[in-house]
Coordinates of all heavy atoms in Angstrom, one line a residue:
Y1 N 0.8 -1.2 0.0 CA 0.0 0.0 0.0 C 0.9 1.2 0.0 O 1.6 1.5 0.9 CB -0.9 0.0 1.2 CG -1.9 -1.1 1.2 CD1 -1.6 -2.3 1.9 CD2 -3.1 -1.0 0.5 CE1 -2.5 -3.4 1.9 CE2 -4.0 -2.0 0.5 CZ -3.7 -3.2 1.2 OH -4.6 -4.2 1.1
E2 N 0.8 1.9 -1.0 CA 1.6 3.1 -1.2 C 1.2 4.2 -0.2 O 0.0 4.5 -0.1 CB 1.5 3.6 -2.6 CG 2.6 4.6 -3.0 CD 2.6 4.9 -4.5 OE1 2.5 4.0 -5.3 OE2 2.6 6.1 -4.8
G3 N 2.1 4.8 0.5 CA 1.8 5.9 1.3 C 1.2 5.5 2.7 O 0.9 6.4 3.5
V4 N 1.1 4.2 3.0 CA 0.6 3.7 4.2 C 1.8 3.3 5.1 O 2.6 2.5 4.7 CB -0.4 2.5 4.0 CG1 -0.8 2.0 5.4 CG2 -1.5 3.0 3.2
E5 N 1.8 3.8 6.4 CA 2.9 3.4 7.3 C 2.4 2.2 8.1 O 1.3 2.3 8.8 CB 3.2 4.6 8.2 CG 4.3 4.3 9.1 CD 4.7 5.5 9.9 OE1 4.2 6.6 9.7 OE2 5.6 5.4 10.8
I6 N 3.1 1.1 8.1 CA 2.8 0.0 8.9 C 3.9 0.0 10.0 O 5.1 -0.1 9.8 CB 2.9 -1.3 8.1 CG1 1.8 -1.3 7.0 CG2 2.7 -2.5 9.0 CD1 1.8 -2.5 6.1
F7 N 3.4 0.0 11.3 CA 4.3 0.1 12.4 C 4.9 -1.3 12.7 O 4.3 -2.3 12.3 CB 3.5 0.6 13.6 CG 3.0 2.0 13.5 CD1 1.7 2.2 13.1 CD2 3.9 3.0 13.6 CE1 1.2 3.5 12.9 CE2 3.4 4.3 13.4 CZ 2.1 4.5 13.1
D8 N 6.0 -1.3 13.3 CA 6.7 -2.6 13.6 C 5.9 -3.6 14.3 O 5.9 -4.8 14.0 CB 8.0 -2.3 14.5 CG 9.1 -1.6 13.7 OD1 9.1 -1.7 12.5 OD2 9.9 -0.9 14.4
A9 N 5.1 -3.2 15.3 CA 4.2 -4.2 16.0 C 3.3 -4.9 15.1 O 3.1 -6.1 15.1 CB 3.5 -3.5 17.1
Y10 N 2.7 -4.1 14.2 CA 1.7 -4.7 13.2 C 2.5 -5.6 12.2 O 2.0 -6.6 11.8 CB 0.9 -3.6 12.5 CG -0.1 -2.9 13.4 CD1 0.1 -1.6 13.7 CD2 -1.1 -3.6 14.0 CE1 -0.8 -1.0 14.6 CE2 -2.0 -3.0 14.8 CZ -1.8 -1.7 15.1 OH -2.7 -1.0 15.9
T11 N 3.6 -5.2 11.8 CA 4.4 -6.0 10.9 C 4.7 -7.3 11.5 O 4.6 -8.4 10.9 CB 5.8 -5.3 10.6 OG1 5.5 -4.0 10.0 CG2 6.6 -6.1 9.6
R12 N 5.1 -7.3 12.8 CA 5.4 -8.6 13.5 C 4.2 -9.5 13.5 O 4.3 -10.7 13.3 CB 6.0 -8.3 14.8 CG 7.4 -7.8 14.8 CD 8.1 -7.8 16.1 NE 7.4 -7.0 17.1 CZ 7.6 -5.8 17.4 NH1 8.5 -5.1 16.7 NH2 6.9 -5.1 18.3
L13 N 3.1 -8.9 13.9 CA 1.8 -9.7 13.9 C 1.4 -10.3 12.6 O 1.1 -11.4 12.5 CB 0.7 -8.8 14.5 CG 0.7 -8.5 16.0 CD1 -0.4 -7.5 16.3 CD2 0.6 -9.7 16.8
I14 N 1.6 -9.5 11.5 CA 1.2 -10.0 10.2 C 2.2 -11.2 9.8 O 1.8 -12.2 9.3 CB 1.3 -8.9 9.2 CG1 0.1 -7.9 9.4 CG2 1.2 -9.4 7.8 CD1 0.2 -6.6 8.7
L15 N 3.5 -11.0 10.1 CA 4.4 -12.1 9.9 C 4.1 -13.3 10.7 O 4.2 -14.5 10.1 CB 5.8 -11.6 10.2 CG 6.5 -10.7 9.1 CD1 7.8 -10.2 9.6 CD2 6.6 -11.4 7.8
E16 N 3.6 -13.2 11.9 CA 3.2 -14.3 12.7 C 2.1 -15.1 12.0 O 2.0 -16.3 12.0 CB 2.8 -13.9 14.1 CG 4.0 -13.4 14.9 CD 5.1 -14.4 15.2 OE1 4.7 -15.5 15.8 OE2 6.2 -14.2 15.0
V17 N 1.1 -14.3 11.5 CA 0.0 -14.9 10.8 C 0.5 -15.7 9.6 O 0.1 -16.8 9.3 CB -1.1 -13.9 10.4 CG1 -2.1 -14.5 9.5 CG2 -1.7 -13.3 11.7
I18 N 1.3 -15.1 8.8 CA 1.8 -15.6 7.5 C 2.6 -16.9 7.8 O 2.4 -17.9 7.1 CB 2.7 -14.6 6.8 CG1 1.8 -13.5 6.2 CG2 3.4 -15.3 5.6 CD1 2.6 -12.3 5.7
R19 N 3.3 -16.9 8.9 CA 4.1 -18.1 9.3 C 3.3 -19.2 10.0 O 3.9 -20.2 10.3 CB 5.3 -17.6 10.2 CG 6.3 -16.8 9.4 CD 7.4 -16.2 10.3 NE 8.3 -15.4 9.5 CZ 9.1 -14.5 9.9 NH1 9.0 -14.2 11.2 NH2 9.9 -13.8 9.2
G20 N 2.1 -18.9 10.3 CA 1.2 -19.9 11.0 C 1.5 -20.0 12.5 O 1.1 -21.0 13.1
R21 N 2.1 -19.0 13.1 CA 2.4 -19.1 14.5 C 1.3 -18.4 15.3 O 1.0 -17.2 15.1 CB 3.7 -18.4 14.8 CG 4.9 -19.0 14.2 CD 6.2 -18.3 14.5 NE 7.3 -18.9 13.8 CZ 8.4 -18.2 13.5 NH1 8.6 -17.0 14.0 NH2 9.4 -18.8 12.9
Q22 N 0.6 -19.2 16.1 CA -0.5 -18.7 16.8 C -0.3 -18.3 18.3 O -1.2 -17.9 19.0 CB -1.7 -19.7 16.7 CG -2.0 -20.0 15.3 CD -3.1 -21.1 15.2 OE1 -3.4 -21.7 16.2 NE2 -3.6 -21.4 14.1
A23 N 0.9 -18.4 18.8 CA 1.2 -18.1 20.2 C 0.9 -16.7 20.6 O 0.6 -16.4 21.7 CB 2.7 -18.5 20.5
T24 N 1.0 -15.8 19.6 CA 0.7 -14.4 19.9 C -0.8 -14.1 20.0 O -1.1 -13.0 20.6 CB 1.3 -13.5 18.8 OG1 2.7 -13.9 18.5 CG2 1.3 -12.0 19.1
F25 N -1.6 -15.0 19.6 CA -3.0 -14.7 19.5 C -3.8 -15.5 20.5 O -3.4 -16.6 20.9 CB -3.5 -15.0 18.1 CG -2.8 -14.2 17.0 CD1 -1.7 -14.8 16.4 CD2 -3.1 -12.9 16.7 CE1 -1.0 -14.1 15.5 CE2 -2.4 -12.2 15.8 CZ -1.3 -12.8 15.1
V26 N -5.0 -15.0 20.9 CA -5.9 -15.7 21.8 C -6.9 -16.4 21.0 O -7.5 -15.8 20.1 CB -6.5 -14.6 22.8 CG1 -7.5 -15.3 23.7 CG2 -5.5 -13.9 23.5
R27 N -7.2 -17.6 21.4 CA -8.3 -18.4 20.8 C -9.6 -17.8 21.2 O -9.7 -17.2 22.2 CB -8.3 -19.9 21.2 CG -7.1 -20.6 20.7 CD -7.2 -22.1 21.0 NE -7.9 -22.4 22.2 CZ -7.4 -22.9 23.3 NH1 -6.1 -23.1 23.4 NH2 -8.1 -23.2 24.3
D28 N -10.7 -18.0 20.4 CA -12.0 -17.4 20.7 C -12.5 -18.0 22.0 O -13.2 -17.3 22.8 CB -13.0 -17.6 19.6 CG -13.3 -19.1 19.3 OD1 -12.5 -20.0 19.6 OD2 -14.3 -19.3 18.6
D29 N -12.3 -19.3 22.4 CA -12.8 -19.8 23.6 C -12.1 -19.2 24.8 O -12.7 -19.0 25.9 CB -12.7 -21.3 23.7 CG -11.3 -21.9 23.5 OD1 -10.5 -21.3 22.8 OD2 -11.1 -23.0 24.1
E30 N -10.8 -18.9 24.6 CA -10.0 -18.2 25.7 C -10.6 -16.8 25.9 O -10.7 -16.4 27.1 CB -8.5 -18.1 25.4 CG -7.8 -19.4 25.3 CD -6.4 -19.3 24.9 OE1 -6.2 -18.8 23.7 OE2 -5.5 -19.6 25.7
L31 N -10.9 -16.1 24.9 CA -11.4 -14.8 25.0 C -12.8 -14.8 25.6 O -13.0 -14.0 26.5 CB -11.5 -14.2 23.6 CG -11.9 -12.7 23.5 CD1 -11.0 -11.8 24.3 CD2 -12.0 -12.2 22.0
Q32 N -13.6 -15.7 25.2 CA -14.9 -15.8 25.9 C -14.8 -16.1 27.4 O -15.6 -15.5 28.2 CB -15.8 -16.9 25.1 CG -16.2 -16.4 23.8 CD -16.9 -17.5 23.0 OE1 -17.1 -18.7 23.5 NE2 -17.4 -17.2 21.8
A33 N -13.9 -17.0 27.7 CA -13.7 -17.4 29.1 C -13.2 -16.1 29.9 O -13.6 -15.9 31.0 CB -12.7 -18.5 29.3
S34 N -12.3 -15.4 29.3 CA -11.8 -14.2 29.9 C -12.9 -13.2 30.2 O -13.0 -12.6 31.3 CB -10.8 -13.5 29.1 OG -9.6 -14.3 28.9
W35 N -13.8 -13.0 29.2 CA -14.9 -12.0 29.4 C -15.9 -12.5 30.4 O -16.4 -11.8 31.2 CB -15.6 -11.8 28.1 CG -14.9 -10.8 27.2 CD1 -14.4 -11.0 26.0 CD2 -14.7 -9.4 27.5 NE1 -13.8 -9.9 25.5 CE2 -14.0 -8.9 26.4 CE3 -15.0 -8.6 28.5 CZ2 -13.6 -7.5 26.3 CZ3 -14.6 -7.3 28.5 CH2 -13.9 -6.8 27.4
A36 N -16.1 -13.8 30.5 CA -17.0 -14.4 31.5 C -16.5 -14.2 32.9 O -17.2 -14.0 33.9 CB -17.2 -15.9 31.3
I37 N -15.1 -14.2 33.0 CA -14.5 -14.0 34.4 C -14.5 -12.5 34.7 O -14.9 -12.1 35.8 CB -13.1 -14.5 34.4 CG1 -13.1 -16.0 34.3 CG2 -12.3 -14.1 35.6 CD1 -11.8 -16.7 34.0
F38 N -14.1 -11.7 33.8 CA -13.8 -10.3 34.1 C -15.0 -9.3 34.0 O -15.0 -8.3 34.6 CB -12.6 -9.7 33.2 CG -11.3 -10.2 33.7 CD1 -10.7 -11.3 33.0 CD2 -10.7 -9.8 34.8 CE1 -9.5 -11.8 33.4 CE2 -9.5 -10.3 35.3 CZ -8.9 -11.3 34.6
T39 N -16.0 -9.6 33.2 CA -17.1 -8.8 33.0 C -17.9 -8.6 34.4 O -18.1 -7.4 34.8 CB -18.1 -9.3 31.9 OG1 -17.4 -9.2 30.7 CG2 -19.3 -8.4 31.9
P40 N -18.2 -9.6 35.1 CA -18.8 -9.4 36.4 C -17.9 -8.6 37.4 O -18.4 -7.7 38.1 CB -19.1 -10.8 37.0 CG -19.0 -11.7 35.8 CD -18.1 -11.1 34.8
L41 N -16.6 -8.8 37.3 CA -15.7 -8.1 38.2 C -15.7 -6.6 37.8 O -15.7 -5.7 38.7 CB -14.3 -8.7 38.0 CG -13.2 -8.0 38.8 CD1 -13.4 -8.1 40.3 CD2 -11.8 -8.6 38.4
L42 N -15.6 -6.3 36.5 CA -15.6 -4.9 36.1 C -16.9 -4.2 36.4 O -16.9 -3.1 36.8 CB -15.4 -4.9 34.5 CG -14.0 -5.3 34.1 CD1 -13.9 -5.4 32.6 CD2 -12.9 -4.3 34.6
H43 N -18.0 -5.0 36.3 CA -19.3 -4.4 36.7 C -19.4 -4.1 38.2 O -19.9 -3.0 38.6 CB -20.5 -5.3 36.4 CG -20.8 -5.3 34.9 ND1 -21.5 -6.4 34.3 CD2 -20.5 -4.5 33.9 CE1 -21.6 -6.1 33.0 NE2 -21.0 -5.0 32.7
Q44 N -18.8 -5.0 39.0 CA -18.8 -4.7 40.5 C -17.9 -3.5 40.8 O -18.3 -2.7 41.6 CB -18.2 -5.9 41.2 CG -18.2 -5.8 42.7 CD -17.6 -7.0 43.4 OE1 -17.2 -7.9 42.8 NE2 -17.6 -6.9 44.7
I45 N -16.8 -3.4 40.1 CA -15.9 -2.2 40.3 C -16.6 -1.0 40.0 O -16.6 0.0 40.7 CB -14.6 -2.4 39.5 CG1 -13.7 -3.5 40.2 CG2 -13.8 -1.1 39.5 CD1 -12.5 -3.9 39.3
E46 N -17.3 -1.0 38.8 CA -18.0 0.2 38.4 C -19.2 0.6 39.3 O -19.4 1.7 39.7 CB -18.5 0.0 37.0 CG -19.1 1.3 36.4 CD -19.4 1.1 34.9 OE1 -18.5 0.8 34.1 OE2 -20.6 1.1 34.5
N47 N -20.0 -0.5 39.6 CA -21.2 -0.2 40.4 C -21.0 0.2 41.8 O -21.7 1.0 42.4 CB -22.1 -1.5 40.3 CG -22.7 -1.7 38.9 OD1 -22.8 -0.8 38.1 ND2 -23.0 -3.0 38.7
E48 N -20.0 -0.4 42.4 CA -19.6 -0.1 43.8 C -18.6 1.0 43.9 O -18.2 1.3 45.0 CB -19.2 -1.4 44.5 CG -20.2 -2.5 44.6 CD -19.8 -3.8 45.2 OE1 -18.7 -3.7 45.9 OE2 -20.4 -4.8 44.9
R49 N -18.2 1.5 42.8 CA -17.2 2.6 42.8 C -15.9 2.2 43.6 O -15.5 3.0 44.4 CB -17.8 3.9 43.2 CG -18.9 4.4 42.3 CD -19.4 5.7 42.7 NE -20.6 6.1 41.9 CZ -20.5 6.7 40.7 NH1 -19.3 7.1 40.2 NH2 -21.6 7.0 40.0
I50 N -15.5 1.0 43.4 CA -14.3 0.5 44.2 C -13.1 1.3 43.7 O -12.8 1.4 42.5 CB -14.1 -1.0 44.0 CG1 -15.3 -1.7 44.5 CG2 -12.8 -1.4 44.6 CD1 -15.4 -3.2 44.2
Q51 N -12.3 1.9 44.6 CA -11.1 2.6 44.3 C -9.9 1.7 44.3 O -9.8 0.9 45.2 CB -11.0 3.8 45.2 CG -12.1 4.8 45.2 CD -12.2 5.4 43.8 OE1 -11.2 5.9 43.3 NE2 -13.3 5.5 43.2
P52 N -9.0 1.9 43.4 CA -7.7 1.1 43.5 C -6.9 1.5 44.7 O -7.0 2.6 45.2 CB -7.0 1.5 42.2 CG -7.6 2.8 41.7 CD -9.0 2.8 42.3
I53 N -6.1 0.6 45.2 CA -5.2 0.8 46.3 C -4.0 1.5 45.7 O -3.3 1.0 44.9 CB -4.8 -0.5 47.0 CG1 -6.1 -1.2 47.5 CG2 -3.9 -0.2 48.1 CD1 -5.9 -2.6 48.0
P54 N -3.7 2.7 46.2 CA -2.5 3.4 45.7 C -1.2 2.8 46.2 O -1.1 2.2 47.2 CB -2.6 4.8 46.3 CG -3.6 4.7 47.4 CD -4.4 3.5 47.2
Y55 N -0.2 2.9 45.3 CA 1.2 2.4 45.7 C 2.2 3.2 45.0 O 1.9 3.9 44.0 CB 1.3 0.9 45.4 CG 1.1 0.5 44.0 CD1 2.1 0.4 43.1 CD2 -0.2 0.2 43.5 CE1 1.9 0.1 41.8 CE2 -0.4 -0.2 42.2 CZ 0.7 -0.2 41.3 OH 0.5 -0.6 40.0
E56 N 3.4 3.2 45.4 CA 4.5 4.0 44.9 C 4.9 3.5 43.5 O 5.1 2.3 43.3 CB 5.7 3.9 45.8 CG 6.8 4.9 45.4 CD 8.0 4.9 46.4 OE1 7.7 4.6 47.6 OE2 9.1 5.2 46.0
Y57 N 5.0 4.5 42.6 CA 5.5 4.2 41.2 C 6.8 3.4 41.3 O 7.7 3.8 42.0 CB 5.7 5.5 40.4 CG 6.2 5.3 39.1 CD1 5.4 4.9 38.0 CD2 7.6 5.5 38.9 CE1 6.0 4.7 36.8 CE2 8.1 5.4 37.6 CZ 7.3 5.0 36.5 OH 7.9 4.8 35.3
G58 N 6.9 2.4 40.5 CA 8.2 1.6 40.4 C 8.3 0.5 41.5 O 9.2 -0.3 41.5
S59 N 7.3 0.5 42.4 CA 7.4 -0.5 43.5 C 6.7 -1.8 42.9 O 6.3 -1.9 41.8 CB 6.6 -0.1 44.7 OG 5.2 0.0 44.5
R60 N 6.7 -2.9 43.8 CA 6.1 -4.1 43.4 C 4.6 -4.1 43.5 O 3.9 -5.0 43.1 CB 6.7 -5.3 44.3 CG 8.1 -5.6 44.0 CD 8.6 -6.8 44.8 NE 7.6 -7.7 45.2 CZ 7.1 -7.8 46.5 NH1 7.6 -7.0 47.4 NH2 6.2 -8.6 46.8
G61 N 4.1 -3.0 44.0 CA 2.6 -2.9 44.2 C 2.3 -2.6 45.6 O 3.1 -2.5 46.5
P62 N 1.0 -2.6 45.9 CA 0.5 -2.3 47.3 C 0.9 -3.4 48.2 O 0.9 -4.6 47.9 CB -1.0 -2.1 47.1 CG -1.3 -2.8 45.9 CD -0.2 -2.8 45.0
K63 N 1.1 -3.0 49.5 CA 1.5 -4.1 50.5 C 0.3 -5.0 50.7 O 0.5 -6.2 51.1 CB 1.9 -3.4 51.8 CG 0.8 -2.6 52.5 CD 1.3 -1.9 53.8 CE 0.3 -1.0 54.5 NZ -1.1 -1.2 54.4
E64 N -0.9 -4.6 50.5 CA -2.0 -5.5 50.6 C -2.0 -6.7 49.7 O -2.5 -7.8 50.0 CB -3.3 -4.7 50.3 CG -3.7 -3.7 51.4 CD -3.0 -2.3 51.2 OE1 -2.1 -2.2 50.3 OE2 -3.4 -1.4 51.9
S65 N -1.3 -6.6 48.6 CA -1.2 -7.7 47.7 C -0.3 -8.8 48.3 O -0.7 -10.0 48.2 CB -0.6 -7.3 46.3 OG 0.7 -6.8 46.4
D66 N 0.8 -8.4 49.0 CA 1.6 -9.4 49.7 C 0.8 -10.1 50.9 O 0.9 -11.2 51.1 CB 2.9 -8.8 50.2 CG 3.9 -8.6 49.1 OD1 3.8 -9.4 48.1 OD2 4.7 -7.8 49.2
E67 N 0.0 -9.2 51.5 CA -0.8 -9.7 52.6 C -1.8 -10.7 52.1 O -2.0 -11.8 52.8 CB -1.5 -8.6 53.4 CG -0.5 -7.7 54.1 CD -1.1 -6.4 54.5 OE1 -2.3 -6.1 54.4 OE2 -0.4 -5.5 55.1
L68 N -2.4 -10.5 51.0 CA -3.4 -11.4 50.4 C -2.7 -12.7 50.1 O -3.2 -13.8 50.4 CB -4.1 -10.8 49.2 CG -5.0 -11.7 48.5 CD1 -6.2 -12.1 49.3 CD2 -5.5 -11.0 47.2
L69 N -1.6 -12.6 49.4 CA -0.9 -13.8 49.1 C -0.4 -14.7 50.3 O -0.4 -15.9 50.2 CB 0.3 -13.5 48.2 CG 0.0 -13.1 46.7 CD1 1.1 -12.5 46.0 CD2 -0.7 -14.2 46.0
K70 N 0.0 -14.0 51.3 CA 0.4 -14.7 52.5 C -0.8 -15.5 53.1 O -0.7 -16.6 53.6 CB 0.9 -13.8 53.6 CG 2.3 -13.4 53.4 CD 2.8 -12.6 54.6 CE 4.3 -12.3 54.3 NZ 5.0 -11.8 55.5
Q71 N -2.0 -14.9 53.0 CA -3.2 -15.6 53.5 C -3.5 -16.9 52.7 O -4.1 -17.8 53.3 CB -4.5 -14.7 53.3 CG -4.5 -13.5 54.2 CD -5.7 -12.6 53.9 OE1 -6.6 -13.0 53.3 NE2 -5.6 -11.4 54.5
V72 N -3.0 -17.0 51.5 CA -3.3 -18.3 50.7 C -2.0 -19.1 50.6 O -1.9 -20.0 49.8 CB -3.9 -18.0 49.3 CG1 -5.3 -17.4 49.5 CG2 -3.0 -17.0 48.5
G73 N -1.0 -18.8 51.4 CA 0.2 -19.6 51.5 C 1.4 -19.3 50.7 O 2.3 -20.1 50.5
Y74 N 1.5 -18.1 50.2 CA 2.7 -17.7 49.4 C 3.5 -16.6 50.2 O 3.0 -15.8 50.9 CB 2.3 -17.1 48.1 CG 1.8 -18.1 47.1 CD1 0.5 -18.5 47.0 CD2 2.8 -18.7 46.2 CE1 0.1 -19.4 46.1 CE2 2.3 -19.6 45.3 CZ 1.0 -20.0 45.2 OH 0.6 -20.9 44.4
D75 N 4.8 -16.7 50.0 CA 5.8 -15.7 50.6 C 6.6 -15.2 49.5 O 6.9 -15.9 48.5 CB 6.6 -16.3 51.6 CG 5.9 -16.7 52.9 OD1 5.1 -15.8 53.4 OD2 6.1 -17.7 53.5
Y76 N 7.1 -13.9 49.6 CA 7.9 -13.3 48.6 C 9.3 -13.4 49.1 O 9.6 -12.9 50.2 CB 7.5 -11.9 48.4 CG 8.3 -11.2 47.3 CD1 8.0 -11.4 46.0 CD2 9.3 -10.3 47.6 CE1 8.7 -10.7 45.0 CE2 10.0 -9.6 46.7 CZ 9.7 -9.9 45.3 OH 10.4 -9.2 44.3
H77 N 10.2 -14.0 48.4 CA 11.6 -14.1 48.7 C 12.5 -13.9 47.5 O 12.4 -14.5 46.5 CB 12.0 -15.5 49.3 CG 11.2 -15.9 50.5 ND1 11.5 -15.4 51.7 CD2 10.2 -16.8 50.7 CE1 10.7 -15.9 52.6 NE2 9.9 -16.8 52.0
G78 N 13.4 -12.9 47.7 CA 14.5 -12.7 46.7 C 14.0 -12.6 45.2 O 14.6 -13.2 44.3
G79 N 12.9 -11.9 45.0 CA 12.4 -11.6 43.7 C 11.4 -12.6 43.2 O 11.0 -12.6 42.0
K80 N 11.0 -13.6 44.0 CA 10.0 -14.5 43.5 C 9.1 -15.0 44.6 O 9.4 -14.9 45.8 CB 10.6 -15.8 42.8 CG 11.4 -16.6 43.8 CD 12.0 -17.8 43.0 CE 12.8 -18.7 44.0 NZ 13.3 -19.9 43.4
Y81 N 7.9 -15.4 44.2 CA 6.9 -15.9 45.2 C 7.1 -17.4 45.4 O 7.3 -18.1 44.5 CB 5.5 -15.6 44.8 CG 5.2 -14.2 44.8 CD1 5.3 -13.4 43.7 CD2 4.7 -13.6 46.0 CE1 5.0 -12.0 43.8 CE2 4.4 -12.2 46.1 CZ 4.6 -11.4 45.0 OH 4.3 -10.1 45.0
E82 N 7.1 -17.8 46.6 CA 7.2 -19.3 47.0 C 6.0 -19.7 47.8 O 5.6 -19.0 48.7 CB 8.5 -19.5 47.8 CG 9.7 -19.2 47.0 CD 11.0 -19.4 47.8 OE1 10.9 -19.6 49.0 OE2 12.1 -19.2 47.3
W83 N 5.5 -20.9 47.4 CA 4.4 -21.4 48.1 C 4.9 -22.3 49.3 O 5.7 -23.1 49.1 CB 3.5 -22.3 47.2 CG 2.3 -22.9 47.8 CD1 1.3 -22.2 48.4 CD2 2.0 -24.3 48.0 NE1 0.4 -23.1 48.9 CE2 0.8 -24.4 48.6 CE3 2.6 -25.5 47.6 CZ2 0.2 -25.6 48.9 CZ3 2.0 -26.7 47.9 CH2 0.8 -26.7 48.5
R84 N 4.4 -22.0 50.5 CA 4.8 -22.7 51.6 C 3.6 -23.7 51.9 O 2.5 -23.3 52.1 CB 5.1 -21.8 52.8 CG 3.9 -21.1 53.4 CD 4.4 -20.2 54.5 NE 3.8 -18.9 54.4 CZ 2.5 -18.6 54.6 NH1 1.7 -19.5 54.9 NH2 2.1 -17.4 54.5
Q85 N 4.0 -25.0 51.9 CA 3.0 -26.0 52.1 C 2.6 -26.0 53.6 O 3.5 -25.9 54.5 CB 3.5 -27.4 51.7 CG 3.7 -27.5 50.2 CD 4.2 -28.9 49.9 OE1 4.9 -29.5 50.6 NE2 3.7 -29.4 48.8
S86 N 1.4 -26.1 53.9 CA 0.9 -26.3 55.3 C 1.2 -27.7 55.8 O 1.3 -28.6 55.0 CB -0.5 -25.9 55.4 OG -1.3 -26.9 54.7
S87 N 1.2 -27.9 57.1 CA 1.4 -29.2 57.6 C 0.3 -30.1 57.3 O 0.5 -31.3 57.1 CB 1.6 -29.1 59.1 OG 0.5 -28.5 59.7
S88 N -0.9 -29.6 57.1 CA -2.1 -30.4 56.7 C -1.9 -31.0 55.3 O -2.3 -32.1 55.0 CB -3.4 -29.7 56.9 OG -3.4 -28.6 56.0
S89 N -1.4 -30.2 54.4 CA -1.2 -30.6 53.0 C 0.0 -31.6 52.9 O -0.1 -32.6 52.1 CB -1.0 -29.5 52.0 OG 0.2 -28.8 52.3
N90 N 1.0 -31.5 53.8 CA 2.1 -32.5 53.8 C 1.6 -33.8 54.4 O 1.9 -34.8 53.8 CB 3.2 -32.0 54.7 CG 4.0 -30.9 54.1 OD1 4.0 -30.7 52.8 ND2 4.7 -30.0 54.9
S91 N 0.8 -33.8 55.4 CA 0.3 -35.1 56.0 C -0.7 -35.8 55.1 O -0.7 -37.0 55.1 CB -0.3 -34.8 57.3 OG -1.5 -34.0 57.2
S92 N -1.5 -35.0 54.3 CA -2.4 -35.7 53.4 C -1.7 -36.4 52.2 O -2.3 -37.2 51.5 CB -3.5 -34.7 52.9 OG -2.9 -33.7 52.1
N93 N -0.5 -35.9 51.9 CA 0.2 -36.4 50.7 C 1.1 -37.6 51.1 O 1.7 -38.2 50.3 CB 1.1 -35.4 50.0 CG 0.3 -34.3 49.4 OD1 -0.8 -34.6 49.0 ND2 0.8 -33.1 49.3
S94 N 1.2 -38.0 52.4 CA 2.0 -39.1 52.8 C 1.4 -40.4 52.7 O 0.2 -40.6 52.7 CB 2.5 -39.0 54.3 OG 2.5 -37.7 54.7

């Protein structure tokens, strides 16, 4: 197309299609599942006017996120999250 500028991102996507590589794209069933999960959540956020938790730019996020993860068994150590098995899950696997 003469006079049309195609940006690098679009060029890469078009090449992925031509080469038959689908890893960059979402299947329709994945997209439908995502909407089924997130639409009610987005409606709740909008209807209840839920405000985001502020946190410092460049940080890992709000401290509440680490507190939530600790409640479900994860700890943050040296740049990664680690799941700590509870004694009840260890005994049930023996």
